[in-house]
């Protein structure tokens, strides 16, 4: 199909925007093709969803997998600070936190979609395995930072979901996007992790 990559991109973009704003009930096939981004040289219709993705559910899943990759890529980049073995774990973790926190807050629609999909039936049905593979790569990056007895998967999962939960509160206006609040969130996360780091300090901000 001509323009398939462009069509795929627009349909995913519209799906993310619709689900972020109103949940999966809002992301009907009609809304996906007629609401949001359009293409100048292609008149989209609902048939394009089935031609490109096979089903609306596959479109949902591919949108999530794309975001999953994007979030983990940003997480990997942020985690490069841990290559500095001379710096205390707290300082490296603060740099990692700041980078990931700003990325999450700067991508509201994407992160709202991510959370809604993650807690939906669609996640277990179509994206769980790929997500676990991405997460396994993240564990490999962090494993050397933690003591041998630490359950790194559980620690990272808890940290990530807590970040997303706080971000949703910021999006909803329940929490201000201030440095003091960011420092508070960092301290909460670090307090839950510091006893597991090999090279940690008890001092907080």
């Amino acid at each position: 199909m001509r323009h398939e990559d462009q069509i795929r991109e627009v349909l995913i973009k519209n799906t993310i925007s619709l689900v972020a704003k109103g949940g999966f009930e809002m992301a009907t096939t009609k809304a996906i093709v007629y609401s949001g981004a359009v293409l100048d040289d292609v008149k989209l219709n609902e048939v394009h969803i089935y031609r490109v993705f096979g089903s609306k559910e596959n479109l949902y899943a591919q949108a999530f997998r794309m975001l999953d990759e994007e979030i983990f890529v940003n997480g990997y980049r942020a985690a490069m600070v841990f290559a500095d073995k001379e710096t205390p774990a707290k300082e490296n973790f603060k740099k990692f936190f700041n980078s990931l926190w700003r990325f999450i807050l700067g991508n509201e629609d994407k992160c709202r979609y991510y959370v809604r999909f993650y807690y939906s039936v669609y996640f277990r049905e179509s994206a769980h395995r790929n997500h676990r593979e991405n997460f396994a790569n993240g564990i490999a990056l962090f494993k050397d930072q933690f003591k041998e007895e630490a359950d790194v998967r559980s620690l990272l999962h808890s940290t990530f979901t807590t970040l997303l939960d706080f971000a949703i509160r910021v999006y909803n206006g329940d929490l201000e996007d201030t440095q003091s609040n960011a420092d508070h969130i960092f301290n909460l996360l670090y307090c839950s992790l510091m006893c597991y780091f090999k090279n940690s300090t008890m001092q907080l901000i």
Side-chain angles (χ1 to χ4, degrees):
M1 186 196 304
R2 289 184 62 211
H3 309 296
E4 183 170 322
D5 288 343
Q6 293 174 294
I7 293 170
R8 180 185 303 275
E9 182 179 342
V10 165
L11 294 177
I12 286 177
K13 182 177 181 179
N14 289 350
T15 299
I16 290 171
S17 178
L18 287 164
V19 173
K21 288 178 172 61
F24 289 98
E25 313 80 51
M26 184 177 284
T28 63
T29 53
K30 184 171 291 188
I32 290 168
V33 296
Y34 297 121
S35 301
V38 296
L39 290 171
D40 293 334
D41 50 353
V42 177
K43 186 173 178 59
L44 291 176
N45 60 59
E46 294 169 72
V47 172
H48 285 104
I49 292 175
Y50 299 95
R51 285 181 179 170
V52 176
F53 297 97
S55 69
K56 181 175 64 172
E57 291 71 27
N58 284 342
L59 167 54
Y60 292 161
Q62 287 199 36
F64 177 84
R65 286 196 288 269
M66 182 194 77
L67 296 182
D68 206 37
E69 294 285 345
E70 185 175 349
I71 288 172
F72 277 108
V73 164
N74 277 273
Y76 299 154
R77 288 174 183 161
M80 291 299 104
V81 297
F82 289 102
D84 180 1
K85 306 294 186 182
E86 302 302 317
T87 301
K90 176 177 174 290
E91 292 180 36
N92 282 335
F93 186 64
K94 184 66 187 294
K95 293 175 186 175
F96 169 79
F97 166 84
N98 284 337
S99 177
L100 197 54
W101 180 240
R102 296 323 307 175
F103 169 78
I104 290 172
L105 289 190
N107 289 276
E108 179 177 345
D109 277 3
K110 290 180 178 181
C111 289
R112 281 189 183 276
Y113 182 92
Y114 190 93
V115 170
R116 283 185 164 145
F117 187 96
Y118 184 82
Y119 289 108
S120 74
V121 295
Y122 302 118
F123 176 71
R124 284 283 175 186
E125 291 174 354
S126 58
H128 184 240
R129 178 179 295 179
N130 189 71
H131 175 75
R132 285 183 64 87
E133 289 174 359
N134 283 333
F135 216 81
N137 292 331
I139 291 170
L141 282 175
F142 280 94
K143 201 158 189 178
D144 287 345
Q145 305 303 315
F146 290 98
K147 296 174 182 176
E148 190 173 333
E149 65 270 20
D151 183 347
V152 180
R153 177 180 291 277
S154 294
L155 292 172
L156 293 182
H157 180 267
S158 176
T159 299
F160 183 54
T161 54
T162 299
L163 270 176
L164 290 174
D165 288 343
F166 274 113
I168 294 295
R169 292 176 61 188
V170 173
Y171 302 151
N172 292 341
D174 300 323
L175 185 70
E176 287 187 85
D177 178 14
T178 63
Q179 187 58 51
S180 62
N181 281 334
D183 290 342
H184 176 66
I185 296 165
F186 166 77
N187 280 330
L188 287 175
L189 293 173
Y190 186 70
C191 280
S192 69
L193 294 173
M194 62 184 181
C195 64
Y196 300 103
F197 278 123
K198 290 178 180 177
N199 180 20
S200 64
T201 175
M202 298 294 289
Q203 183 182 2
L204 299 178
I205 292 172

